[in-house]
Amino acid sequence: KDATMTLKNQRIDIIISDINLPKDNGIKFIQEVRKIDKTIPVILLSAFTDTKYLLEATKLKLVDYLTKPVDFKTLN
């Protein structure tokens, strides 16, 4: 909820989110982001390589879907 409020009130250049969030999941969070802003670049991090998550993520127009552990050199 805090991140969604921040997105509504401030200019955000990029979102990097984990798929596991404390009260929800990253897929649902990014779905909410897309209702507010369809163009903001989003990178989703996950330990999941399950097809279910990958298929849901592809619908969200992500910049990338990175599996953990993340090689942070790939973010350059």
Side-chain angles (χ1 to χ4, degrees), residues 3 11 13 27 32 42 52-53 56 60-61 65 72 76:
R11 182 177 175 268
D13 294 320
I27 298 283
E32 291 300 312
V42 176
K52 172 187 166 190
Y53 290 103
E56 284 297 313
L60 301 173
K61 300 182 181 175
Y65 181 100
F72 286 97
N76 288 333

Side-chain angles (χ1 to χ4, degrees), residues 45-75:
L45 307 175
S46 177
F48 298 112
T49 56
D50 187 318
T51 305
K52 172 187 166 190
Y53 290 103
L54 294 170
L55 290 174
E56 284 297 313
T58 60
K59 298 175 187 175
L60 301 173
K61 300 182 181 175
L62 302 175
V63 171
D64 212 340
Y65 181 100
L66 302 174
T67 54
K68 294 191 268 183
V70 176
D71 176 7
F72 286 97
K73 292 176 188 172
T74 62
L75 296 176

Side-chain angles (χ1 to χ4, degrees), residues 27-44:
I27 298 283
K28 289 182 183 178
F29 168 61
I30 301 305
Q31 287 170 340
E32 291 300 312
V33 167
R34 289 297 180 228
K35 290 177 186 175
I36 298 166
D37 188 324
K38 295 187 185 329
T39 62
I40 190 166
V42 176
I43 297 172
L44 196 57

